[in-house]
């Protein structure tokens, strides 16, 4: 973003996940994102870094916030942004993925941002196109820009990530946000905990470098960051947990439970929130909440990712 | 199948004969006439056979009984876009498989004597190797009403199973075992609890990292344990089609020790691959049951070596590109395997995990014994189903050159040793390498 500073290198063609990124890779993106925050806070928000570039947002799964965040990020850097929402109901699932990829590839985009309900779908698509591919969430696998924006938010508020105790709480089993965050925050030296009932924990989670808690109160003790995850409606009523009220009682974040964390603990949520299911409204809107700031950091991180990948494009 | 007579006598001489039925290895040859072995051993040489015989000098290569594959999908009737008897048996012949037990979950399923008859005629007219029909265990493979075992046996069915559809209802299984026993029929069952087996790969850390849903070993062992109780209750004859876990091995070992008439099989994939081979979401390795951990693979190999696992199958399951070039969770299960089964198995021989006679025993003698076939041995009077291969000859698998209609091989580009040079079925050449 600033022409004078030495450009941190980011030696990857795609951003398919946090897995495979080194600590310097991650830090380079966060540094770049810090600059993007400054740009976004000015009256003149537009840069020409990506002028002439075409960015396609290909969303097989509806997502207002992530898609608009990527759209804004691309536009602020001067790219031409096209949104393609392929509702899962209108296409026979998966069948069109490769065809869609080939069709879009023929339009010669420079970057494709993809969200898909299936783990690995973005990897599959990346093998079929010539441009850079950014994973905007694939099934229960990864959501790398969410983890980056979470890390940026933490770093700007705490001044560091190394040594912090981060408690990720909720539906770990189905969460790509949790997977990306576990990898990223561990790589930057945080102590990551996961808190959930066993029915919402993936097998082998204890071998992924995290501390596992089934008791939220124990898991929140000494936490510097409390990261809540969304519990989807179809999983609340008997399938994975017996009921909403039981879930909120034991795994919902309210003022009383938050007191068990460190006094300066900060609360995060990737959104959209289920108020009264995993998080109490007073907490979500309270002084310890970073939830709105996360949204702002989202745009900045996506600008950083787009710019870092664009540098590696031909003629970049 | 080809006309099994009217061929010149055939002799494979100067060979390393391996008879897995006896576990012996000798230098010599095999002489066959009218589709049957006349003599096998050290005294069969180029000079000793009649002058009208077609003589193959094997130059020290292995000659063994042709392989018998107890689980393969041949596409007919109803799935000819995936496979036909012509293409499946071409793959089989090239892979040294001389008898295929064809899966019954076709469209229509093999639950009617007319369909058994259709398969036999198609095999006779278009097949290069023997194709034996397995018939459905239940009508329509739907798990509700038991099939007409008696009539199907009379038509030529050799065993009963519902292939990929595991039987949910214990009462139906009990009656099937009891009724089949009266006819001496074998039940081949794929043990899987459909509710527990809702995932797409082995449950564990690796699946969790990939964000894929898992299938625990218990999905198999719970149903297998139930079946063992029912076998003990009924005295029926039962073959567990595909075992994939240590738990299942324990269960089968206990049942065998208790005297139940139980045998089991494993797919070549589960002996030579593990879950890590899925790597970056490779859908050709999406299998049912799923590939398990390396420790499990080793336990399965040991069980073949010890004889606890009776049979190794290809579990040949051709799938179109359209159903495999999808995100892992949406892709179909299954891999082709007829053509690579022997070479993949030889990896275990080369690594010292299993002896060649033991491997061949699990791929020919034991299946023959379980199915009541006269094959699987190099003895006078046995059908002249023979293969010749050099177990050390290296090659690289190229899926595009496979004979199957579908190319979904998990071994594409794999380095292997031991390509089949000659396949003889009923005394006639079914395949000869170029």
């Amino acid at each position: 973003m600033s022409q004078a500073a030495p450009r941190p290198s980011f030696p990857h063609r795609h951003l398919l996940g946090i897995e495979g990124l080194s600590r310097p890779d991650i830090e380079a993106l966060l540094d770049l994102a810090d600059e993007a925050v400054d740009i976004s806070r000015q009256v003149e928000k537009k840069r020409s870094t990506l002028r002439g570039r075409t960015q396609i947002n290909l969303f097989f799964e509806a997502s207002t916030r992530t898609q608009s965040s990527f759209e804004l990020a691309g536009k602020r850097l001067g790219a031409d942004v096209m949104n393609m929402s392929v509702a899962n109901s209108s296409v026979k699932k998966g069948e069109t993925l490769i065809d869609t990829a080939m069709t879009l590839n023929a339009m010669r985009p420079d970057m494709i941002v993809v969200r898909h309900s299936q783990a690995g779908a973005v990897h599959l698509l990346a093998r079929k196109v010539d441009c850079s591919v950014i994973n905007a969430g694939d099934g229960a696998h990864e959501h790398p820009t969410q983890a980056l924006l979470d890390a940026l938010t933490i770093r700007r508020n705490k001044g560091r990530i190394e040594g912090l105790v981060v408690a990720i709480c909720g539906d770990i089993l189905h969460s790509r946000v949790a997977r990306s965050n576990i990898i990223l925050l561990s790589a930057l030296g945080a102590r990551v905990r996961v808190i959930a009932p066993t029915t919402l924990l993936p097998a082998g989670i204890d071998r992924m470098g995290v501390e596992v808690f089934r008791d939220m109160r124990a898991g929140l003790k000494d936490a510097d960051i409390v990261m809540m995850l969304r519990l989807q409606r179809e999983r609340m009523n008997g399938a994975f947990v017996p009921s909403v009220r039981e879930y909120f009682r034991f795994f919902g974040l309210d003022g009383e439970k938050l007191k068990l964390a460190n006094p300066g603990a900060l609360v995060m949520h990737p959104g959209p929130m289920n108020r009264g299911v995993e998080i109490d409204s007073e907490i979500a809107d309270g002084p310890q909440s970073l939830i709105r700031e996360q949204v702002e950091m989202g745009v900045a991180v996506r600008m950083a990712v787009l710019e870092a990948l664009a540098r590696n494009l031909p003629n970049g | 199948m080809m006309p099994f007579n009217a061929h010149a006598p055939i002799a494979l001489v100067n060979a390393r004969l391996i008879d897995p039925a006896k576990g012996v290895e000798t230098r010599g040859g095999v002489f066959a006439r009218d589709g049957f072995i006349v003599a096998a051993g050290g005294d069969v040489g180029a000079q000793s056979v009649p002058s009208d015989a077609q003589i193959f000098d094997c130059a020290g290569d292995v000659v063994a009984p042709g392989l018998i594959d107890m689980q393969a999908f041949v596409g007919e009737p109803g799935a000819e876009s995936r496979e036909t008897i012509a293409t499946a048996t071409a793959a089989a012949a090239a892979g040294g498989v001389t008898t295929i037990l064809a899966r019954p979950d076709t469209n229509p399923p093999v639950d009617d004597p007319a369909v058994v008859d259709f398969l036999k005629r198609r095999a006779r007219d278009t097949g290069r190797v023997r194709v034996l029909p397995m018939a459905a265990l239940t009508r329509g493979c739907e798990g509700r009403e038991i099939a007409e075992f008696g009539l199907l046996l009379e038509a030529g069915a050799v065993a009963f199973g519902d292939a990929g559809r595991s039987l949910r209802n214990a009462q139906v299984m009990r009656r099937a075992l009891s009724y089949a026993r009266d006819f001496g029929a074998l039940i081949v069952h794929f043990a899987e609890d459909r509710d527990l087996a809702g995932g797409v790969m082995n449950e564990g850390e690796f699946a969790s990292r990939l964000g894929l849903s898992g299938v625990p070993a218990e999905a198999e062992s719970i149903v297998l344990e139930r079946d063992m109780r029912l076998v003990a209750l009924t005295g029926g004859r039962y073959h567990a089609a595909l075992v994939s876990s240590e738990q299942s091995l324990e269960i089968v070992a206990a049942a065998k020790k208790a005297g139940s008439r139980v045998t089991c099989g494993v797919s070549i994939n589960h002996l030579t691959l593990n879950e890590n081979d899925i790597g970056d979401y490779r859908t050709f390795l999406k299998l049912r049951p799923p590939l398990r951990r390396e420790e499990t693979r080793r336990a399965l190999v040991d069980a073949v070596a010890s004889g606890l696992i009776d049979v190794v199958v290809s579990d040949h399951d051709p799938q179109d590109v359209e159903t495999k070039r999808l995100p892992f969770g949406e892709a179909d299960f299954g891999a082709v395997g007829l053509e690579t089964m022997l070479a993949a198995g030889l990896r275990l021989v080369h690594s010292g995990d299993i002896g060649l006679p033991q491997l061949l025993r699990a791929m020919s003698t034991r299946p023959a014994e379980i199915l009541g076939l006269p094959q699987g041995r190099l003895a006078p009077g046995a059908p002249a189903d023979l293969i010749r291969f050099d177990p050390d000859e290296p090659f690289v698998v190229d899926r595009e050159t496979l004979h199957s209609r579908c190319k979904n091989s998990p071994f594409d580009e794999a380095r292997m040793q031991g390509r089949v040079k000659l396949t003889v079925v009923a005394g006639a050449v079914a395949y000869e390498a170029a």
Side-chain angles (χ1 to χ4, degrees), chain A:
Chain A
M1 265 132 252
S2 75
Q3 298 300 315
R7 291 177 160 192
S9 68
F10 184 74
H12 302 277
R13 186 175 150 208
H14 307 299
L15 180 68
L16 301 181
I18 299 297
E19 180 93 65
L21 298 187
S22 66
R23 184 169 178 158
D25 291 341
I26 294 166
E27 284 171 344
L29 288 175
L30 296 182
D31 293 344
L32 208 49
D34 269 329
E35 296 174 31
V37 174
D38 297 338
I39 294 172
S40 294
R41 287 179 178 177
Q42 293 166 7
V43 175
E44 172 57 58
K45 300 179 179 62
K46 192 118 175 170
R47 290 293 183 273
S48 58
T49 322
L50 297 185
R51 191 165 63 195
R53 299 292 190 190
T54 304
Q55 171 192 339
I56 298 177
N57 295 334
L58 177 60
F59 278 60
F60 290 90
E61 224 181 37
S63 161
T64 318
R65 55 174 65 214
T66 306
Q67 184 169 324
S68 50
S69 182
F70 268 109
E71 181 178 354
L72 211 49
K75 284 181 171 165
R76 283 189 182 162
L77 293 176
D80 293 314
V81 184
M82 185 183 99
N83 287 316
M84 265 192 73
S85 295
V86 191
N88 260 350
S89 53
S90 66
V91 292
K92 211 176 154 203
K93 274 188 186 176
E95 211 166 48
T96 59
L97 178 64
I98 294 208
D99 286 342
T100 310
M102 304 300 255
T103 305
L104 291 181
N105 193 48
M107 298 179 190
R108 306 186 69 82
D110 299 287
M111 274 160 308
I112 302 184
V113 178
V114 191
R115 166 164 295 187
H116 198 282
S117 62
Q118 291 288 330
V122 183
H123 295 65
L124 180 62
L125 186 137
R127 284 199 285 269
K128 305 291 174 188
V129 297
D130 303 314
C131 63
S132 286
V133 173
I134 299 169
N135 184 355
D138 64 322
H141 180 227
E142 281 231 44
H143 190 354
T145 57
Q146 178 70 44
L148 286 164
L149 79 86
D150 289 340
L152 182 67
T153 310
I154 296 169
R155 196 173 81 166
R156 288 173 68 96
N157 280 276
K158 291 283 187 186
R160 67 191 167 100
I161 287 173
E162 182 94 43
L164 293 179
V165 175
V166 181
I168 306 176
C169 182
D171 184 359
I172 312 289
L173 177 63
H174 301 98
S175 178
R176 52 194 171 217
V177 175
R179 279 172 182 72
S180 289
N181 263 312
I182 288 168
I183 304 167
L184 191 155
L185 295 171
S186 304
L188 296 190
R191 283 175 53 200
V192 182
R193 297 174 178 175
V194 295
I195 305 172
T198 303
T199 48
L200 291 176
L201 285 170
I205 181 76
D206 49 318
R207 288 192 291 276
M208 291 171 75
V210 296
E211 287 178 87
V212 183
F213 292 85
R214 276 85 177 179
D215 175 352
M216 190 171 183
R217 291 165 181 278
L220 289 180
K221 193 170 178 301
D222 303 323
D224 299 298
I225 302 289
V226 182
M227 198 179 276
M228 301 305 297
L229 298 174
R230 176 183 171 78
L231 180 66
Q232 285 193 11
R233 201 153 286 279
E234 66 269 22
R235 293 172 184 143
M236 292 175 201
N237 298 316
F240 291 86
V241 293
S243 67
V244 170
R245 65 178 187 180
E246 175 150 333
Y247 186 75
F248 185 71
R249 169 79 178 76
F250 292 97
F251 294 96
L253 187 64
D254 56 17
E256 190 210 335
K257 291 201 197 80
L258 185 56
K259 282 195 194 115
L260 298 166
N262 264 346
L266 297 172
V267 176
M268 303 174 76
H269 193 299
M273 285 181 282
N274 289 308
R275 292 169 183 264
V277 176
E278 70 259 356
I279 191 164
D280 194 79
S281 269
E282 276 182 33
I283 302 298
D285 304 326
Q288 287 170 276
S289 170
L290 294 176
I291 296 171
R292 269 190 294 276
E293 188 176 334
Q294 285 175 272
V295 179
E296 183 190 0
M297 293 307 119
V299 179
V301 149
R302 284 158 189 140
M303 288 168 73
V305 169
L306 290 168
E307 179 174 348
L309 292 177
R311 285 176 186 167
N312 298 332
L313 288 169
N315 312 314

Side-chain angles (χ1 to χ4, degrees), chain B residues 29-45:
Chain B
V30 183
F31 174 61
R33 184 197 290 280
D34 298 332
F36 294 92
I37 295 172
V38 175
D43 49 352
V44 178

